[in-house]
Amino acid sequence: MLDLAIIGGGPAGYVAAERAGAKGLKVVLFEKRELGGVCLNEGCIPTKTLLYSAKIYDNAVNGEKYGVYAPEVSYHFDKIVARKNKVVRKLVAGIGIKMKTHNVQVVKGEAVIKGRSSDGIEIECNGEVFLAVNLLICTGSEALIPPIPGIATAGDTILTNREILNLKEQPESLIIIGGGVIGLEFAGFYNSLGTKVTMIEMLPEILGGLDGEISRMLREIYAKKGVNFYLSCRVTEVKGNEVVFVNPRGEAETVAGDKILVSVGRRAVTGGFGLDNIAVELDRGAIKVDNRMRTNIPNVYAAGDVTGFSMLAHTASREGEVVVNNLTGRPDIMRYNAIPSVVYTNPEVACVGLTEEAAHSQGIAYRIASLPMAYAGRFVAENEAGTGLCRVLAGEKYGEVLGVHMLGNPCSEMIYGACMAIEQEMTLKEMQEVIFPHPTVSEILKETVFAF
């Protein structure tokens, strides 16, 4: 009898397996593709590897700003892709080693839930039946393909995040349908390498849900770099390599590209593994859970993208930890008020907590302070002619930190400090008393706090 069976080896699944194994539970982890899930194999890691190569190329091309001349600089697309593949293989292997270290049984294959009885939960994989006291479902998400006329017949012109990572040749032109995080990161990568990039977004601004001012600034930066943005535009048809859309004036326009990336969101994977056999409740196509990641069925849990709430790898990992903590006697609940979001463009965007727009819509009284990143000396030293912004949102009455939003490198490495401040309900006064190392870009956070 197993203590815990986990379906899905992504960030929720493998982290939960590692934590449970380390605490002495008998665990089996089912994964039909490769350990690491979408994040490691088709998302977070491969895209960031590509983006880092693009950033190095950008720095070399613009080296004259720093007194460094590299007139013959070039890149090899195939070698950039090969390095991406090498990094992914290395990290997948690393997860496998972690599973062995903590005595987690890894079974590669499609697991199917057969049913639940007084003896436990039955899962079948590769013809073998496994019996477990507890089941954790971490089947993740998949790219959403909207029912746009012509999209199903466009063949290999149409790409999702999976196919675009496996391109053998760099396209001369790329159309991106959707202005979210995934689309922006691929736009940044290909724009740096010289591909003509066009982005079509249905909303009035890119990066919906993020701080509006920072989203606007990032768009303007990339517009200057040559990315063409069509905002408030609705795609109506795909004709081969052409995308037809209606602009804000109600007029039809057409753009053409070698490839078309569809990046309009993701949906939870809830079919194909026997979920109906145990009658787990769904909510808008995702598994419904409480703050302990429990489903409506006793001893059955869900974590990660399959819950449809916060589709981020670090959210998934934490949700998996919540499950294991509660199974091993440590009361724990999932909190979503301090989950960071990062856009790994050049420059980066990082944010956590409430945006000004969200606070306003929720009727929360707040104060806000904003400072250019240039207030931090380290930023000026390392970002010649670079622009950036730090915005801090605080409660009007008590001054508690409600949100932090940043544009500028390397804010992805700084945002965790803001996460801790929000998680610990720190006030502006308490933040002012924290000593930051000098000179660092992170000092912009303290400078902004003093700007209230």
Side-chain angles (χ1 to χ4, degrees), residues 234-439:
R234 180 174 56 88
V235 175
T236 59
E237 188 178 4
V238 172
K239 296 180 178 180
N241 69 331
E242 295 182 338
V243 176
V244 182
F245 61 92
V246 176
N247 65 28
R249 299 181 299 278
E251 303 164 341
E253 293 191 48
T254 301
V255 292
D258 294 331
K259 296 291 182 180
I260 301 170
L261 172 63
V262 180
S263 182
V264 296
R266 301 184 66 80
R267 62 183 175 192
V269 175
T270 57
F273 58 94
L275 198 60
D276 293 342
N277 294 333
I278 53 173
V280 169
E281 184 180 356
L282 302 182
D283 180 22
R284 288 178 289 184
I287 294 179
K288 185 178 180 180
V289 294
D290 64 10
N291 60 5
R292 288 177 170 80
M293 313 314 297
R294 299 176 296 193
T295 70
N296 62 307
I297 304 300
N299 301 100
V300 178
Y301 304 81
D305 285 8
V306 74
T307 66
F309 187 68
S310 175
M311 291 186 171
L312 296 167
H314 41 277
T315 301
S317 298
R318 173 64 185 141
E319 289 173 340
E321 290 175 340
V322 167
V323 172
V324 174
N325 285 342
N326 283 291
L327 288 179
T328 54
R330 175 184 166 185
D332 197 2
I333 60 172
M334 186 63 200
R335 300 175 299 278
Y336 295 95
N337 63 309
I339 294 178
S341 295
V342 178
V343 189
Y344 294 86
T345 43
N346 187 15
E348 298 174 343
V349 171
C351 54
V352 63
L354 289 177
T355 62
E356 185 173 10
E357 295 84 355
H360 182 74
S361 66
Q362 295 175 31
I364 297 173
Y366 66 90
R367 293 180 285 157
I368 191 165
S370 300
L371 281 183
M373 281 284 187
Y375 271 67
R378 178 79 176 271
F379 181 84
V380 176
E382 297 184 353
N383 295 271
E384 179 66 27
T387 185
L389 187 68
C390 179
R391 289 163 65 81
V392 177
L393 204 73
E396 185 175 61
K397 184 175 182 180
Y398 300 107
E400 72 277 18
V401 179
L402 298 175
V404 175
H405 310 273
M406 294 184 281
L407 168 68
N409 298 329
C411 62
S412 65
E413 297 291 352
M414 297 153 45
I415 196 65
Y416 77 93
C419 298
M420 294 176 68
I422 294 174
E423 184 69 40
Q424 297 301 315
E425 299 180 341
M426 293 181 69
T427 64
L428 296 173
K429 181 177 182 297
E430 290 170 333
M431 287 282 291
Q432 290 171 353
E433 295 173 0
V434 175
I435 299 173
F436 285 66
H438 177 78

Side-chain angles (χ1 to χ4, degrees), residues 35-357:
L35 290 174
V38 169
C39 176
L40 177 47
N41 295 281
E42 302 167 4
C44 319
I45 297 300
T47 55
K48 278 52 179 181
T49 307
L50 294 177
L51 284 163
Y52 189 71
S53 292
K55 184 179 288 187
I56 289 178
Y57 179 66
D58 272 339
N59 290 341
V61 169
N62 295 292
E64 291 185 16
K65 295 179 181 179
Y66 303 89
V68 179
Y69 294 80
E72 302 299 325
V73 64
S74 63
Y75 66 89
H76 296 274
F77 186 79
D78 57 339
K79 292 185 178 180
I80 291 175
V81 173
R83 179 177 180 270
K84 178 262 296 182
N85 294 336
K86 181 186 72 172
V87 169
V88 170
R89 287 194 303 269
K90 181 177 181 179
L91 294 177
V92 169
I95 294 174
I97 293 172
K98 284 184 178 181
M99 297 303 101
K100 289 181 180 179
T101 300
H102 296 290
N103 300 311
V104 175
Q105 181 184 1
V106 177
V107 178
K108 191 170 183 178
E110 294 199 32
V112 176
I113 303 167
K114 304 303 291 184
R116 180 177 174 274
S117 67
S118 57
D119 295 328
I121 302 165
E122 288 188 0
I123 304 101
E124 182 179 348
C125 187
N126 301 331
E128 184 179 356
V129 176
F130 299 78
L131 189 64
V133 177
N134 299 287
L135 170 64
L136 173 57
I137 301 168
C138 306
T139 48
S141 64
E142 61 188 359
L144 177 64
I145 304 296
I148 298 171
I151 203 168
T153 58
D156 60 5
T157 300
I158 299 295
L159 309 171
T160 68
N161 64 291
R162 177 180 295 177
E163 291 84 17
I164 197 169
L165 286 170
N166 294 319
L167 289 180
K168 303 298 183 183
E169 296 180 356
Q170 177 186 348
E172 291 187 11
S173 56
L174 174 67
I175 301 171
I176 301 175
I177 301 176
V181 174
I182 296 172
L184 257 295
E185 290 183 350
F186 279 114
F189 171 70
Y190 280 104
N191 170 259
S192 292
L193 300 187
T195 293
K196 181 182 178 182
V197 178
T198 300
M199 176 166 284
I200 306 170
E201 170 56 48
M202 187 167 62
L203 297 176
E205 189 55 270
I206 62 171
L207 300 175
L210 271 65
D211 179 88
E213 177 69 9
I214 283 178
S215 296
R216 179 191 63 78
M217 288 180 64
L218 181 67
R219 173 176 52 81
E220 290 177 349
I221 289 170
Y222 269 98
K224 290 179 180 178
K225 291 182 177 184
V227 176
N228 293 316
F229 291 95
Y230 291 90
L231 304 179
S232 299
C233 293
R234 180 174 56 88
V235 175
T236 59
E237 188 178 4
V238 172
K239 296 180 178 180
N241 69 331
E242 295 182 338
V243 176
V244 182
F245 61 92
V246 176
N247 65 28
R249 299 181 299 278
E251 303 164 341
E253 293 191 48
T254 301
V255 292
D258 294 331
K259 296 291 182 180
I260 301 170
L261 172 63
V262 180
S263 182
V264 296
R266 301 184 66 80
R267 62 183 175 192
V269 175
T270 57
F273 58 94
L275 198 60
D276 293 342
N277 294 333
I278 53 173
V280 169
E281 184 180 356
L282 302 182
D283 180 22
R284 288 178 289 184
I287 294 179
K288 185 178 180 180
V289 294
D290 64 10
N291 60 5
R292 288 177 170 80
M293 313 314 297
R294 299 176 296 193
T295 70
N296 62 307
I297 304 300
N299 301 100
V300 178
Y301 304 81
D305 285 8
V306 74
T307 66
F309 187 68
S310 175
M311 291 186 171
L312 296 167
H314 41 277
T315 301
S317 298
R318 173 64 185 141
E319 289 173 340
E321 290 175 340
V322 167
V323 172
V324 174
N325 285 342
N326 283 291
L327 288 179
T328 54
R330 175 184 166 185
D332 197 2
I333 60 172
M334 186 63 200
R335 300 175 299 278
Y336 295 95
N337 63 309
I339 294 178
S341 295
V342 178
V343 189
Y344 294 86
T345 43
N346 187 15
E348 298 174 343
V349 171
C351 54
V352 63
L354 289 177
T355 62
E356 185 173 10
E357 295 84 355

